[in-house]
Amino acid sequence: MPQLIIHGGAGKIRNEAEHRAGIEEALNCGWGALIKKGALEAVLSAVSCMEDNPVFNCGTGSSLNLDGEVEMDASVMLSDGSFGGVAALKHVQHPILVARKVMEETDHLLLAGEGALNFARKMDFPEHNPITEIRQKALEELKQSGNLPYLPKLSQALQNRTSPGEDKFGTVGAVARDDSGLIAVATSTGGIMGKLPGRVGDSCILGAGTYASRDGGVSCTGHGEAILRLLLAFRACERMHFKKAQEVLSELALWAKDQGCSCGLIGIDWRGNIAFAFNTESMSYGFTDGDSMVIF
Ligand code: ASP
């Protein structure tokens, strides 16, 4: 029986009903693809569906950087070791599909900035403006408050005080395992609101926000710099060799909190166990194995 789990970000979720509806829609898209085409198409389908939904911080509706631009990070990985990622990518609708092209069409793992955009154009991805008015307003409010979450140095400069918060996350991710046993993971984000232009987070970094191996697959959300330091997705997959996914993710979410890392994780182990854990106020997520669909 195949499995699929997706998340719409960890942190403080203000618009729960919209998140739930978005998760349900993406789960349905992903499940249809999983049955017909396998794990890779499932995670791409679920994540690109969320990239089109402005309620999530990815694709259209991504958080803005300090200059008011969208720079997106995304990556995809398979349990056979295949990986593709894009960093600080502008002006495309579906960064996760560009990441897939990096995986399938190049000798590289990760393309960034202008090079990533040039590659996307070569691969026929059209010009797209992912900036929404809601995010523009949110950035203005944030700048006025001088309280940029997880950017204490910048906040200090703006306001001479520090006060990180966790209400600006919303990255999306998906993990699927198909009948052949292949596990696929995809993660996509606009990053942290008010970030410095050029900042790259965990979501496109192999082993940090995204990882898959024969032991399992994991997608993370939360404070990117902290997740990068802990290489959280890699750590989780390694442990899935011996332990069930839920035990691993629950332990790691607690441990990460002790390390000062606000985060959420979803995963599936090689045995087909679905798991999720978070140490933030909440996380939006949903999963299905065909028999039942659970949405939070
Ligand atoms: N992890 C993402 C980043 O730091 C943010 C998020 O999960 O919402 O870029």
Short mmCIF file of all heavy atoms in Angstrom, two decimals, residues 57 73 168-171 189 191-192 199 201-203 220-225 227, ligand 1:
data_model
loop_
_atom_site.label_atom_id
_atom_site.label_comp_id
_atom_site.label_asym_id
_atom_site.label_seq_id
_atom_site.Cartn_x
_atom_site.Cartn_y
_atom_site.Cartn_z
N ASN A 57 3.55 29.61 2.14
CA ASN A 57 4.75 30.40 1.85
C ASN A 57 5.66 29.64 0.87
O ASN A 57 6.67 29.07 1.24
CB ASN A 57 5.49 30.69 3.17
CG ASN A 57 6.86 31.28 2.95
OD1 ASN A 57 7.17 31.80 1.87
ND2 ASN A 57 7.70 31.20 3.96
N ASP A 73 13.43 28.83 -2.56
CA ASP A 73 14.31 27.65 -2.48
C ASP A 73 13.42 26.41 -2.61
O ASP A 73 12.33 26.37 -2.02
CB ASP A 73 14.98 27.57 -1.10
CG ASP A 73 15.88 28.75 -0.77
OD1 ASP A 73 16.32 29.44 -1.70
OD2 ASP A 73 16.12 28.96 0.43
N LYS A 168 6.07 33.34 11.01
CA LYS A 168 6.33 33.68 9.62
C LYS A 168 6.78 32.48 8.79
O LYS A 168 7.32 32.63 7.72
CB LYS A 168 7.39 34.80 9.53
CG LYS A 168 6.93 36.11 10.19
CD LYS A 168 5.75 36.73 9.45
CE LYS A 168 5.24 37.99 10.10
NZ LYS A 168 4.52 37.76 11.37
N PHE A 169 6.57 31.26 9.30
CA PHE A 169 6.94 30.09 8.52
C PHE A 169 5.79 29.72 7.57
O PHE A 169 4.80 30.42 7.49
CB PHE A 169 7.26 28.91 9.44
CG PHE A 169 8.44 29.16 10.34
CD1 PHE A 169 8.49 28.63 11.61
CD2 PHE A 169 9.50 29.92 9.90
CE1 PHE A 169 9.59 28.85 12.44
CE2 PHE A 169 10.60 30.16 10.71
CZ PHE A 169 10.63 29.62 11.99
N GLY A 170 5.87 28.59 6.89
CA GLY A 170 4.80 28.20 5.99
C GLY A 170 5.31 27.47 4.77
O GLY A 170 4.59 27.26 3.81
N THR A 171 6.58 27.09 4.83
CA THR A 171 7.16 26.20 3.82
C THR A 171 6.26 25.00 3.59
O THR A 171 5.54 24.60 4.50
CB THR A 171 8.52 25.71 4.35
OG1 THR A 171 9.41 26.80 4.38
CG2 THR A 171 9.12 24.58 3.54
N THR A 189 9.87 26.64 -0.60
CA THR A 189 9.64 27.76 0.32
C THR A 189 9.97 29.11 -0.29
O THR A 189 10.79 29.20 -1.21
CB THR A 189 10.49 27.58 1.60
OG1 THR A 189 10.07 28.54 2.57
CG2 THR A 189 11.97 27.76 1.33
N GLY A 191 11.04 31.11 2.03
CA GLY A 191 12.01 31.45 3.07
C GLY A 191 11.39 32.32 4.16
O GLY A 191 10.17 32.42 4.28
N ILE A 192 12.24 32.95 4.93
CA ILE A 192 11.77 33.74 6.07
C ILE A 192 11.48 35.17 5.61
O ILE A 192 12.31 35.80 4.94
CB ILE A 192 12.84 33.73 7.18
CG1 ILE A 192 12.92 32.32 7.80
CG2 ILE A 192 12.50 34.75 8.27
CD1 ILE A 192 13.98 32.17 8.84
N ARG A 199 19.76 35.34 0.69
CA ARG A 199 19.76 34.33 1.76
C ARG A 199 19.24 32.98 1.22
O ARG A 199 18.27 32.91 0.49
CB ARG A 199 18.86 34.82 2.89
CG ARG A 199 18.75 33.84 4.08
CD ARG A 199 17.50 33.01 4.02
NE ARG A 199 17.29 32.25 5.26
CZ ARG A 199 16.33 31.36 5.42
NH1 ARG A 199 15.47 31.11 4.44
NH2 ARG A 199 16.19 30.70 6.54
N GLY A 201 18.05 29.17 2.62
CA GLY A 201 17.70 28.44 3.84
C GLY A 201 17.95 26.95 3.72
O GLY A 201 18.74 26.49 2.88
N ASP A 202 17.26 26.19 4.53
CA ASP A 202 17.48 24.74 4.59
C ASP A 202 16.75 23.95 3.51
O ASP A 202 17.14 22.83 3.17
CB ASP A 202 16.97 24.22 5.95
CG ASP A 202 15.47 24.49 6.12
OD1 ASP A 202 15.08 25.67 6.09
OD2 ASP A 202 14.70 23.52 6.26
N SER A 203 15.67 24.55 2.96
CA SER A 203 14.73 23.75 2.14
C SER A 203 15.36 23.16 0.88
O SER A 203 14.92 22.12 0.41
CB SER A 203 13.52 24.60 1.76
OG SER A 203 12.93 25.14 2.92
N CYS A 220 11.58 18.97 6.16
CA CYS A 220 11.51 19.79 7.38
C CYS A 220 10.93 21.17 7.08
O CYS A 220 10.99 21.66 5.95
CB CYS A 220 12.90 20.01 7.97
SG CYS A 220 13.74 18.50 8.42
N THR A 221 10.44 21.81 8.12
CA THR A 221 10.01 23.21 8.05
C THR A 221 10.40 23.87 9.37
O THR A 221 10.55 23.19 10.38
CB THR A 221 8.50 23.31 7.81
OG1 THR A 221 8.10 24.68 7.97
CG2 THR A 221 7.69 22.46 8.78
N GLY A 222 10.57 25.18 9.34
CA GLY A 222 10.93 25.88 10.56
C GLY A 222 12.08 26.84 10.31
O GLY A 222 12.28 27.31 9.19
N HIS A 223 12.84 27.12 11.37
CA HIS A 223 13.92 28.11 11.29
C HIS A 223 15.10 27.53 10.51
O HIS A 223 15.86 26.70 11.02
CB HIS A 223 14.33 28.50 12.71
CG HIS A 223 15.40 29.51 12.75
ND1 HIS A 223 16.20 29.70 13.84
CD2 HIS A 223 15.81 30.41 11.82
CE1 HIS A 223 17.07 30.66 13.59
NE2 HIS A 223 16.86 31.10 12.36
N GLY A 224 15.23 27.99 9.25
CA GLY A 224 16.18 27.40 8.32
C GLY A 224 17.61 27.34 8.80
O GLY A 224 18.29 26.32 8.65
N GLU A 225 18.09 28.42 9.41
CA GLU A 225 19.49 28.45 9.84
C GLU A 225 19.74 27.37 10.91
O GLU A 225 20.77 26.70 10.91
CB GLU A 225 19.87 29.84 10.36
CG GLU A 225 20.16 30.88 9.27
CD GLU A 225 18.93 31.34 8.49
OE1 GLU A 225 17.80 30.99 8.89
OE2 GLU A 225 19.09 32.06 7.48
N ILE A 227 17.92 24.59 11.33
CA ILE A 227 17.78 23.26 10.70
C ILE A 227 19.07 22.91 9.94
O ILE A 227 19.54 21.77 9.96
CB ILE A 227 16.56 23.23 9.75
CG1 ILE A 227 15.26 23.39 10.56
CG2 ILE A 227 16.52 21.94 8.94
CD1 ILE A 227 14.01 23.61 9.73
N1 ASP B 1 12.64 26.53 6.62
C1 ASP B 1 12.26 27.68 5.84
C2 ASP B 1 13.45 28.58 5.69
O1 ASP B 1 14.08 28.89 6.68
C3 ASP B 1 11.12 28.45 6.42
C4 ASP B 1 9.89 27.64 6.73
O2 ASP B 1 9.97 26.46 7.02
O3 ASP B 1 8.80 28.21 6.69
O4 ASP B 1 13.71 29.04 4.60
#
